[in-house]
């Protein structure tokens, strides 16, 4: 069961709004995604200050076996990246919804996040894959 | 998974262990188990791991002309191989291109077991049958027992001790590239001291209905089930070629640095080209390279020298054993010297790589 305190995309990213007033949110990839990828060894993440766009490529993730694109769940400006992942990308395998977050974003529009899939819808979606 | 793929006798076992099944070479095989590729690699490098490699082919070649036939279709010699021994070499076409690489075991004076790759088995069987019909019939018979038998690879520094405990008689006395017959849990096994991981280890051919029993005995002894993902990382660390990547019908064993598995004398399929290349050299060579960090080179990436493309990557991975990224590929011969710095195009990003001696990893010598 994916956590219900956040929203999901079909590209298997999650976004959690932390503060509506300052439009801050944190984003990552789902447990389903990390399980499909297998052992993650490397992340190429956007830089702080860079703009990211909803469902547009924002970086790459490499597992032992393959390279996959990362798509931003939201439109906004990157305010922080998870520096721990540079040395410990396996944190995303171990705790994709917590310690393994990828980026923090200042959102252009909070409503964009509200329009994404709920945990229940996302779980139904992955069950059908 | 696809419905037209073959399944090994261990299919249900893999699924119940949580193995992620993928189509490979015409078979449904586990790419990894829940612990993951890195843990599986570590088990093989430090303890014991077991792979179901039943997807690989098993062909018997027998008859008074079997030796003569193999001397014709293989780059390695059958006639000089003693009964009880095994040999690695290539099956080449007339142009010296590699149809497959293989290990073959001399079972008796006139009988051999030959192991082709899973996906190449149909091509090898057709190629062999063509030459048997053309030159060696009657007197050489091929029998494909792939679907009625199984093959397990038991790999890692702990395997000699484990085999001695599991088998009815000691196994660790046999030397690398030798084979013997033993029983495990009452099941007869043909055991060769061979493998595809760069570690000490054994490969075992077992009758189909006994495969699960032997697998279970190995995993009960502590062997970690390992999938295709770990197998690929392990073979790459040991710089062992994979057909379809480092070798194929358009590359020769000489270009791939496999000269020592190619007879420099005698006539056989491909010998004209191969022996000429041994004499005169080749225009491109297989090399290994490392790059710092974990972002891996992947097959198809370009290798450049001063902005000019001079090579292509055939395989690459993050190496957990060496904690760096490694790759192999073909480059023009004048750029093939170890120590040469080259650029690698990683999806538009350039990284400097350094050519290195192969293999990347050699197992520590044990007394």
């Amino acid at each position: 069961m994916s956590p219900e305190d956040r929203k999901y995309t079909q590209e298997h990213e999650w976004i959690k709004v932390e503060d509506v007033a300052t439009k801050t949110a944190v984003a990552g990839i789902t447990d389903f995604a990390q399980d499909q990828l297998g052992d993650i060894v490397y992340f190429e993440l956007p830089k702080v200050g860079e703009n990211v766009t909803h469902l547009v490529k924002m970086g790459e993730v490499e597992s032992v076996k393959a390279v996959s694109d990362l798509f931003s769940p939201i439109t906004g400006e990157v305010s922080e990246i998870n520096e721990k992942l540079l040395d410990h990308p396996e944190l995303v395998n171990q705790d994709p919804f917590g310690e393994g977050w990828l980026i923090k974003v200042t959102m252009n529009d909070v409503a964009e996040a509200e329009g994404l899939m709920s945990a229940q819808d996302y779980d139904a979606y992955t069950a059908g894959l | 998974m696809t419905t037209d793929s073959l399944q090994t006798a261990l299919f249900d076992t893999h699924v119940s262990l949580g193995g992620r099944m993928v189509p490979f070479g015409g078979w449904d095989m586990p790419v990894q188990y829940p612990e993951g590729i890195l843990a599986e690699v570590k088990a093989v490098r430090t303890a014991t791991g077991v792979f179901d490699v039943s997807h690989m082919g098993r062909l018997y070649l027998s008859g008074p002309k079997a030796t003569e036939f193999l001397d014709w279709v293989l780059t390695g010699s059958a006639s000089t191989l003693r009964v009880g021994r095994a040999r690695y070499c290539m099956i080449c076409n007339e142009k010296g291109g590699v149809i497959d690489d293989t290990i073959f075991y001399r079972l008796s004076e006139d009988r051999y077991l030959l192991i082709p790759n899973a996906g190449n088995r149909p091509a090898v069987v057709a190629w062999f049958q063509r030459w048997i019909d053309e030159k060696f019939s009657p007197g050489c018979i091929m029998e494909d027992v792939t679907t009625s038998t199984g093959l397990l690879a038991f790999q890692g520094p702990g395997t000699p001790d484990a085999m001695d405990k599991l088998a009815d008689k000691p196994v660790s006395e046999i030397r690398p590239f030798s084979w013997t017959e033993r029983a495990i849990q009452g099941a007869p096994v043909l055991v060769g001291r061979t493998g595809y991981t760069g570690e000490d280890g054994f490969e075992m051919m077992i009758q189909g209905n006994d495969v699960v029993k032997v697998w279970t005995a190995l995993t009960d002894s502590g062997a970690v089930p390992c999938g295709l993902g770990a197998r690929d990382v392990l073979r790459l660390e040991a710089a062992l070629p994979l057909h379809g990547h480092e070798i194929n019908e358009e590359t020769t064993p000489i270009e791939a640095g496999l000269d020592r598995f190619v007879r420099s004398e005698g006539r056989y399929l491909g010998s004209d080209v191969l022996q000429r290349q041994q004499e005169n050299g080749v225009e491109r060579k297989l090399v290994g390279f490392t790059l710092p960090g974990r972002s891996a080179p992947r097959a198809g990436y370009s290798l450049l020298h001063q902005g000019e493309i001079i090579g292509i990557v055939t395989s690459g991975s993050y190496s957990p054993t060496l904690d760096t990224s490694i790759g192999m590929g073909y480059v023009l011969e004048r750029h093939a010297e170890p120590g040469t710095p080259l650029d690698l195009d990683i999806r538009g990003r350039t990284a400097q790589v350094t050519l290195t001696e192969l293999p990347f990893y050699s197992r520590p010598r044990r007394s």
Side-chain angles (χ1 to χ4, degrees):
Chain A
M1 203 41 209
S2 299
E4 293 184 348
D5 59 355
R6 61 198 80 192
K7 297 286 190 170
Y8 299 85
T9 72
Q10 292 199 351
E11 301 291 349
H12 310 287
E13 279 88 22
W14 56 261
I15 179 126
K16 183 181 171 190
V17 177
E18 290 198 313
D19 186 344
V20 175
T22 58
K23 297 186 178 177
T24 54
V26 57
I29 64 171
T30 65
D31 186 54
F32 178 87
Q34 73 76 21
D35 185 60
Q36 290 291 311
L37 288 164
D39 291 314
I40 295 170
V41 294
Y42 182 78
F43 280 100
E44 180 90 13
L45 294 175
K47 293 179 176 55
V48 172
E50 219 170 276
N51 288 310
V52 291
T53 307
H54 175 58
L55 297 188
V56 171
K57 179 176 168 178
M58 67 167 188
E60 291 174 350
V61 51
E62 287 194 37
S63 67
V64 178
K65 288 312 297 169
V67 187
S68 305
D69 287 338
L70 292 169
F71 298 92
S72 178
I74 199 80
T75 304
E77 183 182 318
V78 178
S79 60
E80 193 178 341
I81 64 165
N82 189 350
E83 302 273 354
K84 280 187 193 167
L85 301 184
L86 299 177
D87 289 328
H88 297 287
E90 70 276 8
L91 284 173
V92 178
N93 290 120
Q94 292 159 4
D95 189 9
F97 293 120
E99 285 278 295
W101 62 274
L102 301 184
I103 58 168
K104 292 190 179 175
V105 184
T106 307
M107 299 177 283
N108 286 9
D109 181 2
V110 179
E112 190 176 53
E114 299 307 319
L116 301 179
M117 270 190 278
S118 68
Q120 199 179 0
D121 289 347
Y122 177 73
D123 288 342
Y125 166 67
T126 55
L129 291 181
Chain B
M1 85 201 55
T2 55
T3 47
D4 53 356
S5 290
L6 295 163
Q7 296 182 351
T8 76
L10 285 160
F11 180 85
D12 290 343
T13 308
H14 299 317
V15 171
S16 71
L17 286 167
R20 183 168 299 154
M21 308 304 288
V22 297
F24 181 82
W27 297 73
D28 276 331
M29 299 302 294
V31 68
Q32 65 163 90
Y33 299 88
E35 284 300 301
I37 292 172
L38 300 179
E40 294 170 20
V41 168
K42 191 173 179 191
V44 172
R45 290 278 178 250
T46 60
T48 60
V50 59
F51 305 75
D52 178 14
V53 288
S54 303
H55 59 307
M56 300 187 77
R58 288 167 292 286
L59 309 177
Y60 286 122
L61 282 309
S62 6
K65 287 190 184 168
T67 302
E68 201 187 324
F69 163 74
L70 289 173
D71 275 348
W72 177 246
V73 295
L74 301 179
T75 63
S77 164
S79 48
T80 60
L81 184 69
R82 293 202 306 277
V83 174
R85 299 281 292 163
R87 177 165 280 162
Y88 171 79
C89 65
M90 323 296 132
I91 302 162
C92 284
N93 59 32
E94 289 103 325
K95 292 176 182 168
V98 182
I99 294 171
D100 204 1
D101 60 343
T102 188
I103 290 180
F104 69 108
Y105 303 75
R106 192 165 195 169
L107 303 178
S108 67
E109 196 56 30
D110 287 338
R111 189 167 165 81
Y112 297 83
L113 170 67
L114 185 141
I115 313 291
N117 278 300
N120 292 334
R121 177 167 61 105
V124 170
V125 167
W127 182 249
F128 280 7
Q129 196 58 55
R130 175 187 149 187
W131 288 104
I132 289 172
D133 293 346
E134 210 156 300
K135 283 176 71 105
F136 303 95
S137 180
C140 179
I141 291 168
M142 174 168 54
E143 188 189 357
D144 185 346
V145 296
T146 307
T147 54
S148 61
T149 58
L151 193 66
L152 301 181
F154 184 42
Q155 302 280 297
T159 55
D161 287 346
M163 280 299 281
D164 286 348
K165 288 188 189 119
L166 287 162
D168 58 335
K169 284 182 284 186
V171 184
S172 63
E173 64 200 36
I174 67 166
R175 291 189 296 142
F177 284 89
S178 298
W179 63 268
T180 189
E181 288 171 308
R182 291 288 185 269
I184 292 177
Q185 300 273 308
V189 293
L190 181 84
V191 190
R193 195 157 191 169
T194 51
Y196 190 53
T197 60
E199 281 314 316
D200 200 356
F202 302 86
E203 290 175 302
M204 284 172 257
M205 184 169 102
I206 305 150
Q207 289 307 309
N209 44 359
D210 287 330
V211 178
V212 175
K213 184 159 69 176
V214 175
W215 167 278
T216 306
L218 295 174
T219 52
D220 284 353
S221 81
V224 171
C226 300
L228 295 173
R231 190 168 165 80
D232 192 46
V233 172
L234 290 158
R235 70 93 195 167
L236 181 59
E237 289 182 338
L240 299 169
L242 173 61
H243 195 274
H245 288 253
E246 284 69 42
I247 47 178
N248 58 45
E249 294 213 29
E250 309 303 320
T251 59
T252 74
I254 311 302
E255 293 170 323
L258 301 167
D259 312 42
R260 65 192 182 283
F261 306 110
V262 173
R263 274 174 288 161
S264 57
E265 292 177 345
R267 288 206 61 223
Y268 53 91
L269 289 171
S271 61
D272 290 353
V273 173
L274 298 178
Q275 290 168 359
R276 197 164 59 234
Q277 290 188 344
Q278 283 178 324
E279 285 277 314
N280 303 338
V282 289
E283 284 182 14
R284 54 177 192 157
K285 274 193 150 167
L286 187 70
V287 295
F289 57 88
T290 59
L291 69 160
R294 292 170 155 222
S295 184
R298 308 276 171 179
Y301 290 5
S302 295
L303 289 159
L304 300 98
H305 176 72
Q306 295 176 351
E308 185 193 354
I309 295 176
I310 51 89
I312 187 164
V313 176
T314 53
S315 294
S317 176
Y318 167 66
S319 161
T321 310
L322 305 170
D323 193 22
T324 186
S325 284
I326 58 174
M328 290 198 285
Y330 280 97
V331 300
L332 295 176
E333 198 273 337
R334 64 179 178 274
H335 298 292
E337 201 58 36
T340 304
L342 294 175
D343 289 326
L344 173 70
D345 181 355
I346 304 180
R347 306 182 294 284
R349 178 162 55 91
T350 301
Q352 195 173 76
V353 303
T354 307
L355 299 192
T356 177
E357 300 277 356
L358 294 175
F360 304 103
Y361 168 85
S362 307
R363 68 186 158 100
R365 290 188 78 89
R366 292 173 175 85
S367 52

